[in-house]
Amino acid sequence: MAVNYNAKEEADGHPSGVGAPGGAGKSRKPDNTAFKQQRLPAWQPILTAGTVLPAFFIIGLIFIPIGIGIFVTSNNIREYEIDYTGTDSYSPCNKCLNVSWNSTSPCTCTINFTLDQPFETNVFMYYGLSNFYQNHRRYVKSRDDSQLNGDNSSLLNPSKECEPYSTSEGKPIAPCGAIANSMFNDTLELFRIDNETRIPITLNKKGIAWWTDKNVKFRNPSGNTNNLTALFQGTTKPVNWPKPVYMLDSETDNNGFINEDFIVWMRTAALPTFRKLYRLIERENNLQPTLQAGKYSLDITYNYPVHSFDGRKRMILSTISWMGGKNPFLGIAYITVGSICFFLGVVLLVIHHKYGNRNTSADIPN
Amino acid sequence: MEKTVPGDETKLVSNHVLGNAALSTKKERLGDPKLSTAGNRILTCAGEEKRVGTRTVFVGHRPVSETDVYVEQKFCDNRIVSSKYTVWNFLPKNLFEQFRRIANFYFLIIFLVQVIVDTPTSPVTSGLPLFFVIIVTAIKQGYEDWLRHRADKEVNKSSVFMVENAKQVKKHSEKIKVGDIVEVKADETFPCDLIFLASSNDDGICYVTTASLDGESNFKTYYAVRDTTGLRTDDGIDSLTAAIECEQPQPDLYKFVGRINIYRSNQEPVARSLGPENLLLKGSTLKNTKKIYGVAVYTGMETKMALNYQGKSQKRSAVEKSINAFLIVYLCILVSKATVCTTLKYIWQSNPFNDEPWYNQKTIKERDTFKILRMFTDFLSFMVLFNFIIPVSMYVTVEMQKFLGSFFIAWDKEMYDEEIKEGALVNTSDLNEELGQVEYVFTDKTGTLTENSMKFIECCIDGHKYKEGISEVDGFSHTDGPSKYYGKAEKCREELFLRALCLCHTVQIKEGDNVDGLIVNQECSTYIASSPDEIALVKGAKKYGFTFLGHEADCMKVQNQKNEIEKYQLLHVLNFDPVRRRMSVIVKTSTGKFLLFCKGADSSIFPRVQQDEIQQTKVHVERNAMDGYRTLCVAFKELTQEDYKKIDEQLSEAKMALQDREEKMARIFDDIETDMHLIGATAVEDRSWTVSQEYGLIIDGSTLSLIFNPSQDSSSSNYKSIFLQICLKCTAVLCCRMAPLQKAQIVRMVKNTKGNPITLSIGDGANDVSMILEAHHPVNRSPYLCHSGIKGKEGRQAARNSDYAVPRFKHLRKLLLAHGHLYYVRIAHLVQYFFYKNLCFILPQFLYQFFCGFSQQPLYDAAYLTMYNICFTSLPILAYSLLEQHINIETLTSDPRLYMKISDNAMLQWKPFLYWTCLGAFEGLVFFFGVYFLFQNSSLEDNGKVFGNWTFGTIVFTILVFTVTLKLALDTRFWTWMNHFVIWGSLAFYVFFSFFWGGIIWQVSFFFQPFLKQQRMYFVFAHMVTSVSTWLAIVLLIFISLFPEILLVVFKNAKRKNHQTVPFNLPMLLSYKPMENGYISEMKIEDAVTNLTQRCHLRIPQMQQL
């Protein structure tokens, strides 16, 4: 695409129509416009010590308080984490460590723990997995979004991206793909132990998925009936699932593809160690904290094998602030950067002052 | 020479030979016995003789004799095809040519890999940009070719007048066949190569300008065949029966040999030789001649012009070389990244639960693939994933910058000249930035600095100085009239000298419109000559009373001091040529004396005159030369009748020769030009020369030839390198009295020194062919700048053959200091920025592999991958590269020291490249690990919901787009409304696009299928912006990325201010070179100079400024 006008090309007196600028125009005098003369009015900022110094101070002064604010907020967030993988022999879940998919009887275990401080606001219950590569390419692409969106043809003809989880026993799998197939299926129940009695804590399973996912992106297949069983006619369950997709929940608005646990699982995590929202514990009244300090027990129906790939499972209880969960990184980073800025501002000011006095005339013109 | 073709007939003219078409393929017979026996020297070059076939052309298609059957010969028609493509072959041919470019080919390969192998990104991501680039280029080239088609058609369909059966016939140009007689009127272009038969002038002369062929804008004189000059009418020309035998077409514009045989009823046929002075070339224009008749000998694609047509030569600027070097570095980075990832992948996968955990089983096909093949496809996949590190759109942007940027040169009204109504002209936008890199400027002082006006200053006759105007101590005093003077030389010597000036030249008189034809009015006549100093000499003679009145038939008319008209019959002329460096004429006076006049450079005249006459004149010549005047010596010789007869015979024979004609002529003249008598010398001044400059070294042509062509002595072989060393250390070197070829030699010498410095040759188009050719040298170009002081069409055409043209020499300042500097800074920044922004684009993707099991999972969505370079970050840098003025134009123009700061391609050296690369790498690390730490807890919203991998990528991408755009904003020193618009507009567009892209459940149509098989971006961006933490992280990470740069700029500014007390405050680019003060130490140069002076006997009058 070399833009050149070879001399020989026009040698035989061809009109120079190829567009050599100003070559053969009627009036050759260039227009006296600001643009053509490269004299457009322009702002010509120059970074000098004079302009940058105040900026450094201001940025320092802004960043440090923000950082402190974030840091304090993050520190005020209550978070409690239990690893219930059961790799340690003394762990109650050790017996379930080698659970497999096709075991018929569920393995249950109970872990007791104590909260030293009360959780005042709404508590969010997460499960966390480690060394689980949800971001593996083969895994990430192994889904059919149009099937999940309720497209009837995709329901019966899943995309080939779902391979090797697209058909089973000659029938299309719904939902197809590795992600759906490996859906987290441990059941976690929380009890507060008050004088040896186990008071179950209400775990809310709705409102854990993105609203747009729940209401737009994920749709059950459509048809004349509201009966999900009929709508999923002709499909089969994912091989690792104990029951089909239309039996995930008893409530119809949380069943099938729009089951929120399912939707949460389908949003693949960014890193191999991740947490996903499992349940909400809402504060019941203003008199009591959501979770009081004291003893609790966690009942686990241990179905999900992670030991085979050296994985870990955790249960996390956390309160949430305006900035989300506990995350010390942001606060520390803000404070550090703000301090460096401020420090450099001081250093520069000293240098500038020292040299600025030496040659007075050449002082910050802009 | 006939010995080489044994048995060949040596009879010079034979109608049988000519009449027989079969013989036209016969080897050429050259020369005649006399000549060959006369000088064996001629035979020495026989080995080099290249035998080309000949062709026979029958004028007007008339058979030359009744006995021969007229055989129509097949020659190509006169259609010109300069277009490259036809409708049918456009697609395959254009595609083929485009994919020959290395970058396009690379992306094609990537695309094909994506199609064949299961790769992380769909073929569309690289196919779309490639498609875009290819389409844009194809449209542009198609359009250009269409214009060429149109121009071809215009030329081919233009009407020409031919003479057929004594009648004028109007025909399309493409219909001309070899042998047709064509009539051409003044200011028309010759439609094909013609043998000049007759002109409207009685003397059979016409003037032609070949500006559009070789850029030479002066008028050249062509001569009709002597025996046909009388055929000035259609009838007359139709009666001509002749055959032309000439060589097959060859591209050399200045070589032609042929022979014409004219048949008259009942007479022996007459043979006349034909040379380049008889051949009117297609493409040149007839001037100052009402009309001419010629017979077509070469037509269409066989014309010399067409044979000289070369396709676009790929020109490479220093910037492009740097780009390619950087590209190789990035290619290495790419390959090593892919290798590292592939290796680590297999190490990681050696653990079976990493390779295939229960939740992520492979397909059967994947399992069955051989491991080696799998590794190879993995490697390819990684290449595809990281291929964006090579900026595909950079080439497009660079081309656009060059094309659009060159408009600013043409638009500059400061480079517009009211007088000639011309502005600057850019013919090669490839080399814009090279204008900012020029280290050596070669300028032709004669035409360029003086704008072609020369003045006769003084002369010396027999050692006595004659100078007008100023009284001289050793000379004579001035009196009132220019025609009166006193001198010590004898009157007859003075007159002889002035007559010599009036006769020994090739000046023509252009007649004014209202000339009565008999007496040329002195006032309205203009002299035309190929060299301006010839005019200066003739005008000088006029001042002293001898006026050249022009030619009449074969006589030259001279008006002497007594206002009498003297006539001299012009017998032979041997024009000036750079090898001989002199010209001679032989005239016959009215009294019947034969005189030879010779004028030329002192070096070529002195050895040929009586040695005792030299001394006095030499003093003058040397002093004049030192003062910077152009000097010429004049000598004469009287020939006896017998001598002349012999010479005349020899010359006529030489003129018949089909090959080496000039050499033969020169040799004969060499023999005559001995024992001449030196009459005097002249000094001509270039006007600006007195406005003397600070020059360092003066060297003249003859000394130069000693340096370039050293004798066999071994000691002299290194003269050239010593001379070069001295030249490079001087601020200016003056080479006076140079042959045109030496100009090119000098240019080439400097160009080929270490580091291949960029040179700029400047001239006005006249006598600059060798420089132009040097400029078009494909590998190592030296841009040729034409300063066209010449008004009108010729000047424009000469300008068109140059790379750049400015109306006046003074415009060079702004062109180099302002435009060149700005273009260089802009494009260098553009290139570095492109590599930088792609590095920090791809580095996070590379780092992500370490956290996704080396599975080639892309970090960014396919739409982002594709559009990053096309939409989000392309326009700001383009606007920057067109509008940026880091220092304003006035400052640049007024302070040439700033120009030095970017010399040696300073901004594209490895050091700045490393700086940019480090910057890109640093930013990539900040982007990735910043977000990585943020994602240690992926619930970033105040409702506890978590973000997934696509949000991760989108956050990184958002920071990336903002950072690279703001980085450019930091670099922008000249914020016009356009920069504001494009920079903030790009960011706004990114935000808008992200909302839009994630805001719709895309109904999958065929075209978008590969893009949208997943709705993975659905509301990802919208969710991202509702998170306060994300906002805080984005702001922080952008700031951290830009912080080091800001700090560096501030420190650099502070440091500079401490060193410098200059009041003006300029932003310094980081890659600017530190100011070097002064030149190299005096000692070293003086040593070298004295060394050289001793050996070469150089004259070095001044050593200022060293």
Side-chain angles (χ1 to χ4, degrees), chain B residues 885-902:
Chain B
Q885 293 173 34
H886 62 294
I887 300 175
N888 64 34
I889 291 181
E890 282 72 29
T891 319
L892 280 177
T893 320
S894 60
D895 190 356
R897 286 178 309 163
L898 292 169
Y899 191 76
M900 304 281 285
K901 288 192 159 283
I902 52 165

Side-chain angles (χ1 to χ4, degrees), chain B residues 207-221 254 284-285 287-288 444 447-448 452 528-532 763-769 772 784 786-801:
Chain B
Y207 304 107
V208 161
T209 171
T210 53
S212 56
L213 277 178
D214 54 12
E216 290 250 298
S217 55
N218 49 344
F219 288 10
K220 295 189 179 65
T221 315
Y254 311 104
S284 46
T285 314
K287 290 287 167 189
N288 294 332
D444 176 3
T448 307
N452 263 345
I528 308 166
S530 51
S531 151
D764 60 0
N767 292 318
D768 286 339
V769 190
I772 294 171
Y784 175 74
C786 178
H787 118 86
S788 57
I790 316 146
K791 289 169 215 170
K793 211 177 161 196
E794 292 78 41
R796 247 190 334 269
Q797 244 159 358
R800 217 170 272 165
N801 263 9

Side-chain angles (χ1 to χ4, degrees), chain B residues 206 678 794 853 862:
Chain B
C206 75
L678 187 66
E794 292 78 41

Side-chain angles (χ1 to χ4, degrees), chain B residues 744-799:
Chain B
Q745 275 181 322
I746 289 262
V747 174
R748 198 178 312 135
M749 177 182 80
V750 174
K751 245 169 45 172
N752 291 340
T753 53
K754 197 170 150 273
N756 292 333
I758 289 157
T759 59
L760 175 74
S761 315
I762 307 169
D764 60 0
N767 292 318
D768 286 339
V769 190
S770 56
M771 288 226 282
I772 294 171
L773 287 177
E774 194 60 34
H776 285 271
H777 192 260
V779 184
N780 192 3
R781 291 196 44 136
S782 153
Y784 175 74
L785 178 108
C786 178
H787 118 86
S788 57
I790 316 146
K791 289 169 215 170
K793 211 177 161 196
E794 292 78 41
R796 247 190 334 269
Q797 244 159 358

Side-chain angles (χ1 to χ4, degrees), chain B residues 419-647:
Chain B
E419 202 182 308
I420 60 168
K421 303 235 180 302
E422 288 281 355
L425 186 67
V426 181
N427 292 322
T428 317
S429 58
D430 276 325
L431 299 170
N432 288 346
E433 71 276 1
E434 218 86 316
L435 293 177
Q437 289 289 298
V438 173
E439 282 179 64
Y440 298 96
V441 175
F442 296 91
T443 162
D444 176 3
K445 87 183 161 66
T446 339
T448 307
L449 294 173
T450 60
E451 306 183 344
N452 263 345
S453 52
M454 295 221 195
K455 208 172 153 195
F456 185 85
I457 286 298
E458 61 174 47
C459 58
C460 115
I461 303 168
D462 281 351
H464 304 296
K465 184 169 175 179
Y466 289 73
K467 187 164 184 167
E468 186 196 357
I470 307 148
S471 57
E472 283 286 331
V473 188
D474 65 333
F476 57 100
S477 60
H478 162 73
T479 53
D480 37 20
S483 55
K484 290 182 185 172
Y485 50 89
Y486 305 93
K488 289 173 185 170
E490 294 162 34
K491 188 77 180 164
C492 66
R493 297 289 286 183
E494 283 171 18
E495 287 185 357
L496 184 66
F497 177 78
L498 294 170
R499 278 190 189 105
L501 290 188
C502 283
L503 295 171
C504 185
H505 57 71
T506 53
V507 174
Q508 307 290 338
I509 292 210
K510 184 187 179 182
E511 297 171 7
D513 287 337
N514 47 358
V515 179
D516 58 10
L518 281 170
I519 301 159
V520 181
N521 189 335
Q522 286 180 21
E523 257 58 58
C524 68
S525 63
T526 332
Y527 294 118
I528 308 166
S530 51
S531 151
D533 42 355
E534 285 211 307
I535 297 177
L537 290 178
V538 174
K539 281 184 176 165
K542 195 167 155 185
K543 274 189 193 143
Y544 292 106
F546 274 79
T547 313
F548 172 62
L549 295 177
H551 294 267
E552 196 180 84
D554 54 354
C555 285
M556 292 171 96
K557 290 189 297 179
V558 174
Q559 191 175 35
N560 67 11
Q561 286 166 332
K562 299 177 193 107
N563 276 340
E564 295 159 350
I565 291 181
E566 300 172 11
K567 279 191 183 179
Y568 296 89
Q569 192 185 354
L570 182 61
L571 301 167
H572 290 284
V573 183
L574 191 61
N575 276 345
F576 187 89
D577 79 61
V579 183
R580 281 162 38 86
R581 299 161 58 77
R582 60 184 182 272
M583 76 162 286
S584 293
V585 291
I586 300 176
V587 294
K588 188 181 171 191
T589 63
S590 45
T591 51
K593 279 199 283 187
F594 292 97
L595 291 175
L596 170 98
F597 289 109
C598 180
K599 84 175 178 204
D602 48 15
S603 58
S604 61
I605 296 286
F606 285 163
R608 303 178 172 275
V609 296
Q610 316 269 322
Q611 290 307 306
D612 51 324
E613 296 166 351
I614 298 174
Q615 210 45 48
Q616 289 173 308
T617 313
K618 196 173 179 178
V619 179
H620 281 272
V621 171
E622 291 189 355
R623 202 175 55 200
N624 287 337
M626 236 167 266
D627 290 341
Y629 298 137
R630 296 163 68 92
T631 57
L632 284 174
C633 294
V634 183
F636 94 106
K637 183 182 183 180
E638 197 174 332
L639 303 168
T640 61
Q641 181 102 34
E642 293 77 46
D643 280 344
Y644 174 71
K645 214 174 160 187
K646 212 174 106 194
I647 293 161

Side-chain angles (χ1 to χ4, degrees), chain A residues 3 29 37 47 145 323 334, chain B residues 411 418 429 1015 1029 1032 1053:
Chain A
V3 183
K29 173 138 183 147
Q37 300 309 319
L47 283 180
D145 275 350
M323 54 166 287
Y334 261 95
Chain B
W411 280 338
E418 290 289 349
S429 58
Q1015 308 291 343
S1029 296
L1032 287 170
N1053 274 336

Side-chain angles (χ1 to χ4, degrees), chain A residues 16-171:
Chain A
S16 76
V18 191
K26 293 282 180 293
S27 163
R28 283 194 184 78
K29 173 138 183 147
D31 298 340
N32 190 13
T33 57
F35 171 67
K36 289 188 174 181
Q37 300 309 319
Q38 304 196 62
R39 289 187 196 290
L40 283 174
W43 173 51
Q44 290 165 278
I46 294 174
L47 283 180
T48 58
T51 47
V52 173
L53 265 181
F56 274 16
F57 282 114
I58 292 167
I59 288 167
L61 288 176
I62 294 171
F63 272 26
I64 293 171
I66 290 179
I68 293 170
I70 298 170
F71 191 71
V72 169
T73 314
S74 178
N75 271 356
N76 286 340
I77 292 171
R78 300 264 173 272
E79 197 174 281
Y80 190 83
E81 193 173 310
I82 297 173
D83 187 320
Y84 69 91
T85 324
T87 38
D88 299 323
S89 52
Y90 53 79
S91 164
C93 291
N94 185 250
K95 56 176 178 178
C96 303
L97 189 60
N98 290 315
V99 75
S100 84
W101 280 108
N102 31 23
S103 63
T104 43
S105 59
C107 177
T108 56
C109 54
T110 303
I111 292 175
N112 293 323
F113 63 98
T114 312
L115 291 180
D116 297 327
Q117 283 170 315
F119 283 45
E120 299 283 349
T121 54
N122 287 350
V123 176
F124 295 76
M125 190 179 184
Y126 297 90
Y127 59 87
L129 295 175
S130 295
N131 208 21
F132 190 101
Y133 283 85
Q134 252 207 328
N135 58 4
H136 196 280
R137 182 163 72 94
R138 199 177 336 119
Y139 188 83
V140 169
K141 68 175 184 180
S142 185
R143 65 194 284 164
D144 187 341
D145 275 350
S146 38
Q147 189 191 48
L148 298 172
N149 195 228
D151 186 84
N152 283 329
S153 65
S154 298
L155 184 71
L156 298 174
N157 295 301
S159 152
K160 68 172 172 41
E161 299 285 354
C162 286
E163 290 288 349
Y165 303 101
S166 62
T167 54
S168 158
E169 295 155 3
K171 281 183 173 175

